[in-house]
């Protein structure tokens, strides 16, 4: 190969490597790792109640306005588990956010928080202004712990 063709091949190789990581939806160093399970759900032995919240964040189907939309499967338990719901999740340098649907979870509840390697910390703000502070450690789902092998 001539010396003029060699730099072209190196540039092409670099572009291909960079574009494959971008299209794979990989995060940059300054972006939080938004994918995974975050849960504080537990069984209270004395009361016999299941309590807490958890969300599993995954990549959903591509849409025209998002490269890799994030979808959350959110569940809350207040004595007994409520049905899980699907939520659109926004996550980036500025934090994580999702809104709960207008059903058994109540109209207008929005979660806003920060995400780290250890988990999610934030606040649910409800329609009438009530606020609930929540810590959701990054860990296996409460339900995964119940699997028997």
């Amino acid at each position: 190969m001539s010396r003029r063709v060699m730099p072209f091949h190196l540039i092409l190789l670099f572009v291909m490597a960079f574009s494959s990581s971008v299209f794979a939806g990989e995060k940059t160093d300054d972006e939080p790792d938004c994918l995974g399970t975050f849960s504080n759900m537990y069984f209270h032995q004395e009361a016999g109640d299941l309590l807490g919240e958890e969300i599993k964040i995954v990549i959903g189907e591509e849409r025209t306005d998002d490269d890799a939309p994030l979808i959350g499967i959110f569940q809350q338990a207040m004595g007994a588990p409520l049905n899980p719901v699907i939520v659109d999740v926004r996550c980036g340098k500025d934090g994580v956010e999702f809104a709960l649907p207008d059903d058994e979870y109540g109209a207008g509840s929005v979660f806003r928080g920060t995400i780290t390697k250890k988990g999610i910390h934030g606040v649910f703000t409800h329609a009438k202004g009530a606020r609930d502070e929540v810590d959701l450690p990054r860990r296996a789902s409460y339900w995964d712990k119940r699997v028997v092998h």
Side-chain angles (χ1 to χ4, degrees), residues 15-40:
V15 168
M16 289 173 55
F18 175 74
S19 64
S20 67
S21 67
V22 169
F23 290 118
E26 292 181 15
K27 64 180 189 63
T28 62
D29 287 339
D30 58 346
E31 290 181 294
D33 184 5
C34 301
L35 303 178
T37 303
F38 307 87
S39 178
N40 65 12

Side-chain angles (χ1 to χ4, degrees), residues 89-126:
V89 177
R90 285 182 293 267
C91 186
K93 292 182 230 174
D94 298 329
V96 61
E97 180 178 326
F98 59 89
L100 297 177
D102 298 343
D103 60 7
E104 60 191 282
Y105 286 96
S109 294
V110 175
F111 179 86
R112 288 184 184 90
T114 56
I115 191 165
T116 67
K117 290 179 183 178
K118 292 184 177 184
I120 296 174
H121 175 81
V123 175
F124 276 104
T125 304
H126 306 287

Side-chain angles (χ1 to χ4, degrees), residues 49-83:
D49 290 338
L50 185 61
L51 303 168
E53 300 88 15
E54 74 176 41
I55 187 165
K56 181 176 191 78
I57 301 174
V58 300
I59 295 177
E61 182 178 336
E62 287 189 31
R63 301 179 191 164
T64 56
D65 57 342
D66 289 327
D67 290 332
L70 298 177
I71 304 296
I73 300 96
F74 177 82
Q75 186 175 34
Q76 187 174 39
M78 298 178 287
L82 298 176
N83 287 329

Side-chain angles (χ1 to χ4, degrees), residues 40-51 79 142 146:
N40 65 12
M41 197 172 286
Y42 70 99
F43 184 75
H44 189 280
Q45 291 289 342
E46 265 184 50
D49 290 338
L50 185 61
L51 303 168
Y142 170 81
R146 299 183 54 84

Side-chain angles (χ1 to χ4, degrees), residues 126-148:
H126 306 287
K128 295 185 179 181
R131 297 167 49 94
D132 295 316
E133 193 168 341
V134 176
D135 281 310
L136 300 171
R138 189 183 294 269
R139 67 176 201 195
S141 167
Y142 170 81
W143 304 109
D144 291 342
K145 297 173 186 175
R146 299 183 54 84
V147 175
V148 178

